[in-house]
Amino acid sequence: MPAVYVRENKSTACNQGYFVDTINDLVCTSYDRMTVRFADVSGGIARAGILNRCPTGWRASTNNKQCFTEIKNAPIARLKNGKPCAPGELDDWGIWCTSNYEHLSYAEVDLAATRDFNDIYANAMNDGLDYNSIPSGLSPDAKAFFKGADKSSGASSAAPASASEPATTAADCISGSDVGAAVGGVLGGRTGAALGGALGGLGKKKKKGGC
């Protein structure tokens, strides 16, 4: 996970090695989102199709050309090419055969899946494509494995709420797009993407506490 902190105001530069977060510009993050998402991603894998989901642990780049991952020791994916996956590999969406996933938590792969779906859904909607055909959540194989792993270990499948709290509570002004992005990210799936997009168009900034 990238390191983050809240700066005093927007005129204060981020520390060396940190970048202004693209969702909340009061937050500085060690993750250079603009470089990673809009350029060809180093180590990325080519998308199988513009409406197709990425493999477990991976997400679509905003340029729609690649899948990339923010997970260290990430799952290894290869195109299925119409052939059965090997024993132990996940059959992701009938497109990918994915290995090296067993050490990951449900929260890690679920977050990647949510971001993957939201980006693909938003791009398809903006381009007038059939966004309703895009499947949400984890692939059936991944869902079966990670839900089973969580139950056997007693781990919670929910991502910690504290992960998104610092940026939200620290911001003294919240725009409609901020609310939309937050709701879309929390809900995930088709409902989150659609509701997040709708709320993102609310318009003028509203400030907390009358600021």
Side-chain angles (χ1 to χ4, degrees), residues 7 39 69 71 97 135 159 172 177 185:
R7 53 184 175 160
T69 182
I71 297 175
C97 292
D172 55 356
S177 58

Side-chain angles (χ1 to χ4, degrees), residues 19-204:
F19 307 87
V20 177
D21 186 74
T22 56
I23 297 176
N24 186 330
D25 54 9
L26 275 175
V27 173
C28 294
T29 173
S30 61
Y31 176 55
D32 188 357
R33 187 183 302 272
M34 294 297 289
T35 298
V36 172
R37 294 186 69 190
F38 289 94
D40 283 345
V41 182
S42 175
I45 53 178
R47 292 277 304 282
I50 198 166
L51 296 178
N52 290 333
R53 294 288 309 279
C54 289
T56 297
W58 294 68
R59 56 179 292 200
S61 59
T62 302
N63 63 19
N64 261 345
K65 295 179 179 179
Q66 293 175 289
C67 295
F68 73 99
T69 182
E70 299 162 297
I71 297 175
K72 292 182 179 179
N73 191 15
I76 299 169
R78 61 182 180 85
L79 285 172
K80 185 178 178 182
N81 288 327
K83 299 178 181 179
C85 293
E89 289 185 320
L90 299 176
D91 182 336
D92 280 331
W93 311 113
I95 300 170
W96 310 94
C97 292
T98 308
S99 59
N100 192 46
Y101 57 85
E102 297 88 349
H103 60 288
L104 301 176
S105 68
Y106 175 84
E108 286 179 293
V109 296
D110 185 56
L111 179 60
T114 297
R115 289 174 170 172
D116 181 49
F117 172 84
N118 286 348
D119 282 345
I120 296 172
Y121 187 100
N123 285 326
M125 187 163 54
N126 290 338
D127 294 339
L129 303 176
D130 183 16
Y131 51 85
N132 286 318
S133 67
I134 304 168
S136 62
L138 297 172
S139 70
D141 269 19
K143 187 179 297 182
F145 174 82
F146 286 100
K147 283 294 189 180
D150 272 356
K151 288 176 182 177
S152 63
S153 65
S156 170
S157 63
S162 59
S164 60
E165 285 175 1
T168 303
T169 56
D172 55 356
C173 298
I174 299 176
S175 69
S177 58
D178 292 334
V179 175
V183 171
V186 171
L187 292 181
R190 201 173 314 280
T191 301
L195 184 55
L199 291 175
L202 289 178
K204 296 181 178 179

